[in-house]
Amino acid sequence: MAKTPAAVVEAGGRAVRVSSPDRVIYKATDRTPEVTKLMVAQYFAGVEDGLMRALRDRPTALERWTSGFREGMRLATGPQDKDADAFYQKRVPKGAPDYLETVQITFPSGRTADEICPTEIAVPVWCAHMGALTFHPWPVRRGDVDRPDELRIDLDPQPGTTFADAVRVAGVADELLRELGLVGFPKTSGNRGVHIYVRIEPRWEFVDVRHAAIGLGRELARRDDGVTVDWWKEERGERIFVDYNQNNRDRTIASAYSLRPQPGAPVSTPLTWAELRDLRDPREHNLFTVPDRHADGDPWAAIDDTAYSLQPLLDLWEEQGAVELNYPPDYPKMPGEPPRVQPSKKVAGHWDEDGNRVDT
């Protein structure tokens, strides 16, 4: 069989070449037709305003599914995961076009890398040509990559909870933010969760934004017993986990208008608070339905209008006792962090600061 010629997608005045345009990226479901690689590229071009609002001038990693997505496929969790079907691309891929701009970022280890820094819609469309479905922008802009301008609240449903539970907790978060004089912008995660973004003044470091997220999460848990900030999964129970660690350096969340690797090509979709309250099934928002709602206006159009102070949330964290919580296991040991010891393994004995048992 002859190979299908490459297609061209017009994106911001540029003609972007897309190879293997008829490759099936998502199989058809009972609610959506199949999705080809060309359709993914055209989708990104079609939601230019909202997607570029989420990505412009931000260091951005790519989630690349070069063979498409099928149920049962896995995303690599590290360089040792050689048998995975998809991977994160944190450094600029080879063969990038000359209009693709970059910015240098620093990882927690101290190593540096040049990451993609989208400045025009042709860049995400070219990324679709490279098999990208999901964009993972840092919460910083290239003018200052060490001071976030975004607080990200990730409401992650644990086993036994539902999207409806995440929506309920999001409502509590909205109420709390407004009490503190802040405005949050909600979106679906593209799966079962809810994300809330708050534009902040870029005056604080990553650790401060993380502390603000801890303060908010602990207050949510006080107001709603269906919420937890417990890092260890065995302690979370059937509750919504506020993943405060998503505000760490080099921790990112799927951007607004990103596709997600789930059946039916779901989209991480910005919503108004009223729309979120009424939404029963986030799969309603997918590659086929989102372009029309985007054409009617992006619910996040005003997110850049006001940058808020983080201080009210930092004051809340201080009032709670400035309690430090665990970092992810791939992070260096951080000041004030509790021992990295799984609670079920806390038996008689002593532990060093890295969570290693020291017998006496």
Side-chain angles (χ1 to χ4, degrees):
M1 180 182 294
K3 185 177 180 180
T4 304
V8 172
V9 174
E10 293 295 326
R14 298 189 189 276
V16 182
R17 178 180 176 274
V18 178
S19 66
S20 305
D22 58 353
R23 176 178 295 157
V24 175
I25 303 300
Y26 293 93
K27 286 187 174 182
T29 69
D30 58 358
R31 66 170 67 200
T32 54
E34 72 178 17
V35 175
T36 65
K37 187 177 178 182
L38 177 60
M39 293 166 69
V40 171
Q42 292 171 330
Y43 163 74
F44 290 147
V47 294
E48 174 182 358
D49 180 58
L51 182 58
M52 289 310 299
R53 184 174 289 108
L55 301 181
R56 184 174 282 111
D57 292 333
R58 297 188 185 279
T60 301
L62 309 177
E63 193 175 315
R64 293 177 60 190
W65 295 78
T66 54
S67 298
F69 166 77
R70 305 289 184 272
E71 288 193 83
M73 283 185 165
R74 293 190 306 109
L75 178 65
T77 57
Q80 74 287 347
D81 199 353
K82 305 295 185 184
D83 297 327
D85 305 285
F87 59 95
Y88 289 107
Q89 178 97 42
K90 293 190 176 183
R91 290 172 169 80
V92 178
K94 294 180 180 179
D98 57 7
Y99 56 78
L100 185 149
E101 299 187 28
T102 66
V103 63
Q104 187 177 84
I105 48 86
T106 302
F107 297 120
S109 65
R111 294 181 296 109
T112 61
D114 291 329
E115 282 201 354
I116 291 173
C117 187
T119 57
E120 57 178 287
I121 192 57
V123 173
V125 174
W126 176 80
C127 292
H129 156 72
M130 297 296 288
L133 297 181
T134 308
F135 300 99
H136 290 265
W138 283 46
V140 301
R141 299 188 194 264
R142 63 177 172 177
D144 189 343
V145 295
D146 294 316
R147 285 178 171 76
D149 72 338
E150 217 162 53
L151 167 68
R152 296 172 175 178
I153 304 163
D154 181 7
L155 304 179
D156 184 9
Q158 300 302 290
T161 63
T162 65
F163 176 71
D165 293 315
V167 170
R168 184 195 75 248
V169 173
V172 181
D174 177 37
E175 181 180 75
L176 172 58
L177 289 170
R178 292 179 186 280
E179 288 175 11
L180 297 173
L182 308 174
V183 174
F185 289 77
K187 68 181 178 74
T188 64
S189 70
N191 196 355
R192 298 194 311 133
V194 173
H195 300 155
I196 304 169
Y197 284 24
V198 179
R199 184 69 74 243
I200 59 173
E201 299 167 346
R203 296 197 288 122
W204 291 271
E205 298 181 353
F206 282 94
V207 65
D208 300 312
V209 182
R210 178 180 179 275
H211 288 159
I214 291 173
L216 183 141
R218 286 170 62 87
E219 177 61 16
L220 291 181
R222 187 187 71 80
R223 297 185 180 200
D224 187 318
D225 60 10
V227 178
T228 181
V229 291
D230 289 322
W231 177 246
W232 300 101
K233 290 183 178 180
E234 64 185 43
E235 291 191 325
R236 293 177 191 171
E238 295 184 358
R239 293 180 286 181
I240 300 298
F241 173 51
V242 181
D243 192 352
Y244 56 88
N245 273 327
Q246 292 289 21
N247 292 280
N248 286 338
R249 178 184 294 273
D250 193 33
R251 280 297 189 274
T252 55
I253 295 177
S255 79
Y257 295 102
S258 276
L259 292 163
R260 302 309 307 273
Q262 296 289 330
V267 171
S268 184
T269 307
L271 303 169
T272 66
W273 283 104
E275 286 176 327
L276 180 63
R277 285 192 295 271
D278 292 341
L279 184 61
R280 298 295 174 263
D281 187 346
R283 294 176 298 174
E284 293 176 11
H285 298 306
N286 55 62
L287 178 144
F288 296 96
T289 61
V290 166
D292 284 344
R293 61 175 278 118
H294 178 271
D296 291 334
D298 179 11
W300 283 21
I303 193 171
D304 290 317
D305 289 357
T306 304
Y308 295 92
S309 171
L310 196 64
Q311 198 59 52
L313 283 169
L314 291 174
D315 291 344
L316 182 62
W317 179 69
E318 291 282 354
E319 291 166 8
Q320 295 165 350
V323 176
E324 188 56 274
L325 300 178
N326 284 113
Y327 280 77
D330 57 323
Y331 267 63
K333 182 69 178 180
M334 302 299 286
E337 181 184 0
R340 294 183 184 176
V341 184
Q342 195 170 328
S344 60
K345 295 181 179 178
K346 286 183 179 178
V347 296
H350 297 277
W351 304 85
D352 65 20
E353 64 175 10
D354 294 318
N356 301 309
R357 183 174 177 179
V358 180
D359 292 319
T360 57

